[in-house]
Amino acid sequence: MPIGYVPDGLDGARADAGAARMFGVSRSAVEEAAGRGDLILDGVAVAKSERLRAGTLLEVDLGPVRVVQVVPSLVEGMTIVYDDADIVVVDKPAPVAAHPSLGWDGPSVVEHLAAAGFAISTSGPPERQGVVSRLDVGTSGLMVVAKSEVAYSVLKRAFRKHEVSKTYHALVQGYPIPATGTIDAPIGHARTGEWKMAVDPKGRRSITHYETLKTLRAATLLGVQLETGRTHQIRIHMAAIRHPCVGDVLYGADPVLAARLGLDRQWLHATQLGFRHPTRAEDMVFVSEYPAELVSALEYLS
């Protein structure tokens, strides 16, 4: 059972958020513990909204440890773009996660590859084997998975050193000014929700480059390249300049427009992926077309 003294930096924080940060667990797990009376501050059970005081003893009983399991299952719409002994490149539909997790009970790339008979032999937790970079559940497009340990190591390093070229297309509300620009704003966890991120002065540096590709009715199609790769980066940065991705209700998009377009996800697609092959030193570039639901939304606004 995690237990520790509340540091000065968490003085005044909510008990659920503070415990999640102190012990490296999910906020939802702490909330469940609080609901059972298992969130304890100085020997007294407290509500999840209780404010912490520096120097007090905080403990949380999380109950039985849940284990993520890989359940092989084919995903409709998943396309294998390229495959060899070291890597497999997939064109991921939405809503599909990169890998299974405790917070997600839908389909994933890892489980699709397992069901399709692809042998992934890399280090890391079983549910994340081969995953060197992820796409959001609601973002479609290209993603590379390592099949061998050498490919896993080389590609992880390439992503970390920003040697991989990733181009996204994003349909955003309104008309960004300037039409071509760079957003340099740090990103961290939002205080309002466990899975939500936000621009945060104390967050990690995050840089997004964009250019206008086409102007539509009440929206703009952008080409986007990432200099960094933070969770939800494009979505957060577009929302920060008040031009959220169409359909991205979580980050402030117009729900009426999303419904009119039939979108239950953000209009965001990984259109191009380029990298040097991990064992052959050959430059490779892959391109993906828009899925039907994104094409339909574009046609409606054209």
Side-chain angles (χ1 to χ4, degrees):
M1 180 171 67
I3 183 170
Y5 288 99
V6 176
D8 291 342
L10 291 179
D11 186 59
R14 282 174 57 109
D16 53 357
R21 290 183 59 184
M22 281 179 62
F23 305 128
V25 299
S26 72
R27 188 165 174 175
S28 61
V30 178
E31 290 173 350
E32 291 176 8
R36 299 190 303 266
D38 290 330
L39 181 60
I40 311 297
L41 188 63
D42 272 351
V44 179
V46 296
K48 63 182 182 181
S49 59
E50 179 79 13
R51 295 294 171 174
L52 299 178
R53 302 181 307 281
T56 53
L57 186 64
L58 181 65
E59 52 190 307
V60 55
D61 186 350
L62 299 173
V65 177
R66 293 179 292 170
V67 178
V68 179
Q69 293 188 345
V70 176
V71 181
S73 54
L74 294 175
V75 177
E76 183 177 358
M78 185 87 72
T79 303
I80 304 301
V81 178
Y82 176 84
D83 174 47
D84 65 22
D86 293 296
I87 61 173
V88 55
V89 177
V90 302
D91 197 339
K92 182 185 86 65
V96 176
H99 57 77
S101 66
L102 292 177
W104 174 249
D105 58 6
S108 73
V109 172
V110 167
E111 290 168 311
H112 173 84
L113 294 176
F118 288 87
I120 309 295
S121 302
T122 71
S123 55
E127 72 275 11
R128 294 202 298 269
Q129 283 195 345
V131 176
V132 293
S133 181
R134 296 175 291 181
L135 291 179
D136 293 346
V137 168
T139 299
S140 51
L142 296 165
M143 178 177 155
V144 60
V145 176
K147 295 170 65 177
S148 67
E149 184 62 32
V150 63
Y152 183 74
S153 298
V154 172
L155 287 174
K156 288 281 281 187
R157 183 167 59 250
F159 274 99
R160 187 168 59 250
K161 296 175 69 175
H162 312 299
E163 296 172 347
V164 177
S165 171
K166 298 176 289 182
T167 300
Y168 298 79
H169 285 182
L171 184 65
V172 302
Q173 293 180 189
Y175 310 106
I177 297 175
T180 297
T182 295
I183 304 169
D184 185 347
I187 291 175
H189 285 279
R191 296 183 178 182
T192 55
E194 178 188 348
W195 307 111
K196 195 174 181 181
M197 309 296 285
V199 169
D200 181 351
K202 297 181 180 180
R204 302 174 69 188
R205 190 179 188 195
S206 309
I207 302 174
T208 300
H209 307 285
Y210 70 89
E211 62 174 337
T212 294
L213 301 178
K214 189 176 183 179
T215 300
L216 307 169
R217 287 188 294 126
T220 303
L221 181 64
L222 300 178
V224 182
Q225 289 193 317
L226 299 180
E227 192 168 319
T228 54
R230 312 302 178 211
T231 300
H232 299 178
Q233 179 172 321
I234 295 173
R235 301 165 63 191
I236 295 162
H237 276 174
M238 291 301 114
I241 62 171
R242 300 187 178 182
H243 296 286
C245 295
V246 171
D248 195 2
V249 177
L250 179 65
Y251 288 109
D254 180 1
V256 176
L257 177 60
R260 188 179 302 140
L261 297 175
L263 283 177
D264 56 4
R265 50 162 287 199
Q266 63 269 15
W267 203 113
L268 182 59
H269 186 71
T271 59
Q272 184 171 303
L273 178 65
F275 55 88
R276 176 154 289 196
H277 191 280
T279 61
R280 298 204 304 265
E282 172 187 347
D283 290 330
M284 310 188 81
V285 178
F286 302 95
V287 177
S288 168
E289 301 296 327
Y290 303 148
E293 69 271 21
L294 301 191
V295 171
S296 177
L298 270 183
E299 291 175 344
Y300 184 92
L301 293 173
S302 296

